[in-house]
Amino acid sequence: MTKRHFGLLAATLALLGTAGCGSEGYPLADPVATATRLDGYTQTAYDALGLTGAALDDAWPGGGLEAEGWNCYSRDLADQLSDSPPSEPGVVRVSDEWAVKGVSHARAVAALRRARGELAAQGWEVTDFDDTPQRLHLELEPPGSDDKVSVEEYPGGRLQVGAYANCARYPEGTALDAHGDPEVPEQRAPVQLRGE
């Protein structure tokens, strides 16, 4: 490539970078509605697992129900070419994670197989299922949604249940917490183990 071609390429990339879409490239979604939807998905997954005798793991280090923007990167081309693109202001990813404890490996295998069959029969798409000595993991997409729901076994007889939405812009006027992230409601799922 000649210097002239390289210069034209660099100028083109610079122009494209200034014409990026920023946060407008993300869909608009209310974080409270998204959090409520994800909490419902984790409840549905827990119901499909059919576990009895499990307890909520209050010491689970997962994030709980939250809306955070640290992993929603700028869509401007110039930022995309960076080794560490910045987060996009006004854009968050809502997620919901919790775990149960007291689930033996044999019970976990049976529960994930049961959930896979039951949720697939309800129209959920199974996008990943690992049942190997190294990993027990189920990932699904609810019908008509791009959200992801996963159930994974962890050491110590624990099963993590999580639901994750794609990054989205939140509307102006959204209530923010002390960290500047949108406020979301408290977790309700699994209602059987939270005494509701």
Side-chain angles (χ1 to χ4, degrees), residues 43 46 54-56 58 187-196:
Q43 179 66 54
Y46 181 75
L56 195 61
D58 294 326
Q187 284 177 308
R188 295 181 45 98
V191 295
Q192 300 93 319
L193 304 180
R194 292 190 191 270
E196 296 185 18

Side-chain angles (χ1 to χ4, degrees), residues 28 170-175:
L28 183 67
Y170 52 85
E172 282 189 40
T174 297

Side-chain angles (χ1 to χ4, degrees), residues 7-79:
L8 288 172
L9 177 62
T12 302
L13 288 174
L15 279 173
L16 288 172
T18 59
C21 55
S23 67
E24 297 301 315
Y26 286 98
L28 183 67
D30 175 14
V32 171
T34 302
T36 301
R37 181 180 72 241
L38 295 181
D39 202 42
Y41 289 155
T42 64
Q43 179 66 54
T44 301
Y46 181 75
D47 292 343
L49 289 167
L51 292 171
T52 57
L56 195 61
D57 187 350
D58 294 326
W60 182 250
L65 188 53
E66 58 190 9
E68 293 184 323
W70 64 267
N71 60 356
C72 296
Y73 302 111
S74 170
R75 290 189 170 174
D76 286 332
L77 181 59
D79 291 333

